[in-house]
Amino acid sequence: MLKAFSPASHGLHINSTGLLAGLVILFWVVVAIAGPAFAPYAPGDIVDFDFYGPMSAKLWLGSDYLGRDIFSRILLGARYTVGISFAAVTIACFTGVILGMTAAALGGWFDRILSRLMDALLSIPSKLFGLVMVAAIGSSIPVLIGLLAVIYAPGSYRFARALAVNCNTMDYIAVARARGERTPYIILDEIFPNIIGPVLADFGLRFVFIVLLLSGLSFLGLGVQPPNADWGSLVKENIGGLPFAAPAVIAPCLAIASLTISVNLLIDNLPIKIRDRG
Amino acid sequence: MSGQIPLLVVSRLGVTFLTLLIVSFVVFGATLLLPGDVVEILLGQAATPEAVAGLREAMHLDSPALVRYGQWLFGLLQGDLGVSYANNMPVADMVAGRLANTLRLAAATTIIAVPIALLLGITTAMYRGSLYDRVITTIVVSIVSVPEFLIATLAVLVFAVWLRWLPALSFTTDLSSFGQLLKAFAMPVITLSFVIAAQMIRMTRAAMIDALNMSYVEMAILKGASKTRVVLRHALPNSIGPIANAIALSLSYLLGGVIIVETIFNYPGVAKLMVDSVATRDLPLIQSCAMIFCVGFLTLTTVADIIAIVSNPRLRT
């Protein structure tokens, strides 16, 4: 994905939709890192006597069910939504890809047992898995990150393994084996560089899935717990404002949609060379 | 039916059973992750050492985990879903009525979503690249890439707040007349239909495009068959398998949707029961609901795979 931000240096072209989507993603990343510093109010402060207040010059996106500034809360929420999802997707893809490549390179029983296990985990619907686990171990931010990583690692494993199996039949792998290279070398130096493109695209897609699941869990009240709030929690908190079409409930919805749709659009519009290499 | 098909179907069913076994293991394993003691949580303030020991024995918590897993699985197979921690009722009684409600919701959604999705999926594939195709595809991608609760929120905004056709977030218990029934069902079904139809349109379109790229389709076009004839007589019969597969797979997305939709619209189904029981940490109830959902999900994905196997003419030799 990083390559998409510097297309010229690689002689790759990206169309305007992809570029726009990339800018939206960049915007939310910057907000997640630096946003709370620019928040006009502290996210926990009650600044409006009215609840579900309309958009105004003072409160850009209105006030929430307690009269807190929604704009400030969205800025802080970006940190939870983007941060937790990014941490989870990084762990999920790292383990998934390493295990997938190892399974492909080793083959045999290791591959068969691991694949069967991963397929079984994959066939538990993600939201259900989340519900059961949150019921058992409760919900805190480290738990959420671990949980989301566990739920999405099998998908990443399957994807990386499929790519690596194709790669494994290539002549240059046979040559490396004939040279007497060890398995770690074959995995990291021969297979990995050749599947990195699609793996990065998969990383992006998986990030979207994780944002969706995290927001869904938070919306059910099982994700990020008050007083902290990610975008899903913001929608849940303010769902009472829905009958009046309060900006407090619409704004966080738009934030989620803008992020997830942008990531999807960016991946769909990535240069074919990055997306399908391997 | 001859050749490899029966063997493939049987081995696919075997995989499903193996998967179900692993899934049940994971679901049961969640109980073991519970920090602290179930009994102490249950008794709360009344947790005297004697009471704890007594209840532990009554609940067979002193036996090894593997034995309890065996007992639980055996009970499950006989329809004994255990007893709820929260209100001491048999879980089977609590789930029965709710399950019917959820299935009703799923059936209504299927009846609405499938024909619409097939029509849109096939026509967008026929007119690939046209403005019509691009508009539908963009809408579909947008729906697929946002959370279900966002679709629900949007549906409430449009149909309840702006158009004022339907009640917003309350599920009316008064279902005496047909009109009220329709009103109560409308929002959940509309929301779910959007979610399911979007998945289905995507997969149907892809399956149809695959079929239209075949050389026999090109042949049919070259011999002068009309576009409708090419699609209906040549491409469609050959892509029935992939399309049926797409339908079954998309229906498995009902699950994720149902959890959100039942919660947001306060619909008295199994998913709502399950989400509520997460708050009270009522593990027997959660485990049973989770197994019900997993069985449903695995059935749909297995059916999808078996359709794909049976409809592949290359396996019939």
Side-chain angles (χ1 to χ4, degrees):
Chain A
M1 259 204 323
L2 284 175
K3 280 182 185 170
F5 295 125
S6 55
S9 60
H10 292 272
L12 301 169
H13 296 283
I14 187 162
N15 61 24
S16 50
T17 317
L19 203 63
L20 188 69
L23 287 177
V24 174
I25 298 166
L26 193 66
F27 169 75
W28 283 125
V29 170
V30 171
V31 167
I33 296 168
F38 296 98
Y41 304 95
D45 283 1
I46 294 175
V47 289
D48 192 1
F49 290 118
D50 204 10
F51 52 91
Y52 297 131
M55 292 193 237
S56 63
K58 188 166 152 270
L59 304 170
W60 285 4
L61 296 175
S63 59
D64 76 351
Y65 75 118
L66 291 177
R68 295 174 293 190
D69 178 34
I70 273 291
F71 179 63
S72 308
R73 288 180 71 75
I74 287 181
L75 290 187
L76 187 64
R79 185 167 279 182
Y80 290 105
T81 298
V82 177
I84 293 176
S85 305
F86 188 77
V89 74
T90 308
I91 300 172
C93 283
F94 184 78
T95 32
V97 170
I98 294 279
L99 286 176
M101 289 190 303
T102 314
L106 291 178
W109 280 108
F110 180 78
D111 180 26
R112 237 174 288 170
I113 292 175
L114 197 61
S115 294
R116 174 64 39 238
L117 205 69
M118 290 291 191
D119 277 355
L121 286 179
L122 208 56
S123 68
I124 304 178
S126 54
K127 245 184 229 102
L128 202 68
F129 205 158
L131 281 183
V132 172
M133 287 305 176
V134 168
I137 46 186
S139 185
S140 64
I141 288 172
V143 165
L144 277 175
I145 293 176
L147 180 65
L148 292 167
V150 168
I151 294 178
Y152 283 101
S156 173
Y157 166 86
R158 195 189 226 183
F159 185 77
R161 184 187 164 274
L163 290 171
V165 163
N166 283 337
C167 204
N168 206 25
T169 57
M170 295 290 173
D171 287 342
Y172 54 81
I173 303 281
V175 169
R177 282 191 205 282
R179 277 205 309 267
E181 304 288 3
R182 291 174 182 283
T183 309
Y185 174 87
I186 292 188
I187 292 169
L188 294 177
D189 283 58
E190 300 286 354
I191 298 181
F192 187 62
N194 287 294
I195 64 171
I196 179 82
V199 160
L200 283 178
D202 178 63
F203 181 92
L205 277 183
R206 221 156 280 284
F207 175 76
V208 172
F209 294 150
I210 290 183
V211 169
L212 296 186
L213 181 59
L214 175 67
S215 318
L217 283 177
S218 290
F219 179 79
L220 294 174
L222 307 170
V224 178
Q225 297 298 317
N228 302 330
D230 69 337
W231 292 339
S233 325
L234 287 178
V235 178
K236 177 203 159 60
E237 283 177 358
N238 298 308
I239 196 77
L242 191 53
F244 338 114
V249 60
I250 297 174
C253 281
L254 289 179
I256 298 172
S258 69
L259 177 65
T260 51
I261 294 177
S262 296
V263 176
N264 266 333
L265 283 178
L266 176 64
I267 293 168
D268 280 353
N269 290 292
L270 278 181
I272 302 288
K273 209 174 153 190
I274 294 180
R275 201 169 14 132
D276 295 342
R277 205 178 70 177
Chain B
M1 295 245 290
S2 61
Q4 311 164 41
I5 290 181
L7 194 69
L8 283 171
V9 170
V10 168
S11 74
R12 182 63 188 81
L13 287 175
V15 167
T16 302
F17 280 111
L18 186 62
T19 309
L20 201 57
L21 203 66
I22 301 177
V23 168
S24 71
F25 204 75
V26 172
V27 167
F28 183 81
T31 339
L32 306 176
L33 291 173
L34 194 71
D37 197 15
V38 180
V39 173
E40 278 167 29
I41 294 172
L42 276 181
L43 289 173
Q45 296 282 325
T48 60
E50 297 80 38
V52 168
L55 193 58
R56 282 190 75 87
E57 204 180 327
M59 289 172 70
H60 304 291
L61 285 180
D62 291 322
S63 11
L66 214 57
V67 174
R68 277 187 285 142
Y69 169 68
Q71 285 168 343
W72 174 71
L73 196 65
F74 194 64
L76 217 57
L77 291 175
Q78 293 177 319
D80 171 18
L81 304 182
V83 175
S84 157
Y85 287 170
N87 53 12
N88 253 328
M89 273 167 65
V91 171
D93 293 353
M94 297 174 73
V95 168
R98 297 285 195 124
L99 188 60
N101 280 343
T102 299
L103 289 176
R104 218 167 283 151
L105 184 60
T109 306
T110 309
I111 292 169
I112 293 175
V114 173
I116 294 175
L118 288 186
L119 186 70
L120 289 177
I122 293 169
T123 47
T124 46
M126 277 170 74
Y127 302 102
R128 184 165 26 142
S130 67
L131 183 66
Y132 166 73
D133 175 38
R134 272 178 296 166
V135 169
I136 299 285
T137 312
T138 310
I139 295 175
V140 163
V141 169
S142 310
I143 292 179
V144 169
S145 50
V146 299
E148 292 96 349
F149 68 79
L150 216 146
I151 309 288
T153 313
L154 207 64
V156 170
L157 273 182
V158 172
F159 292 108
V161 180
W162 290 332
L163 296 175
R164 298 185 179 284
W165 288 351
L166 299 163
L169 291 174
S170 55
F171 188 86
T172 43
T173 42
D174 178 24
L175 299 175
S176 44
S177 75
F178 183 71
Q180 275 160 332
L181 191 76
L182 210 63
K183 269 192 172 177
F185 260 124
M187 290 305 297
V189 170
I190 288 173
T191 309
L192 272 179
S193 297
F194 267 107
V195 175
I196 300 303
Q199 295 286 356
M200 221 178 281
I201 291 169
R202 236 157 94 112
M203 293 190 210
T204 312
R205 179 173 177 275
M208 200 61 202
I209 284 177
D210 274 352
L212 288 175
N213 281 339
M214 295 288 179
S215 27
Y216 63 78
V217 170
E218 198 182 353
M219 175 69 201
I221 295 170
L222 289 177
K223 82 177 183 201
S226 71
K227 196 158 198 165
T228 329
R229 190 178 161 79
V230 167
V231 170
L232 292 182
R233 295 279 301 146
H234 296 267
L236 199 57
N238 280 296
S239 49
I240 290 285
I243 287 177
N245 176 287
I247 292 174
L249 269 187
S250 319
L251 287 180
S252 68
Y253 283 87
L254 265 173
L255 259 151
V258 136
I259 293 177
I260 297 288
V261 164
E262 287 190 359
T263 309
I264 193 170
F265 295 112
N266 218 0
Y267 182 90
V270 186
K272 178 81 170 64
L273 184 69
M274 185 172 171
V275 172
D276 290 344
S277 59
V278 170
T280 54
R281 295 192 150 193
D282 192 346
L283 280 167
L285 191 51
I286 295 167
Q287 286 171 338
S288 304
C289 293
M291 287 312 290
I292 291 172
F293 276 122
C294 281
V295 169
F297 184 78
L298 278 172
T299 309
L300 284 169
T301 46
T302 309
V303 167
D305 279 3
I306 289 180
I307 290 172
I309 293 171
V310 173
S311 66
N312 187 348
R314 288 188 196 91
L315 296 173
R316 269 182 220 151
T317 47

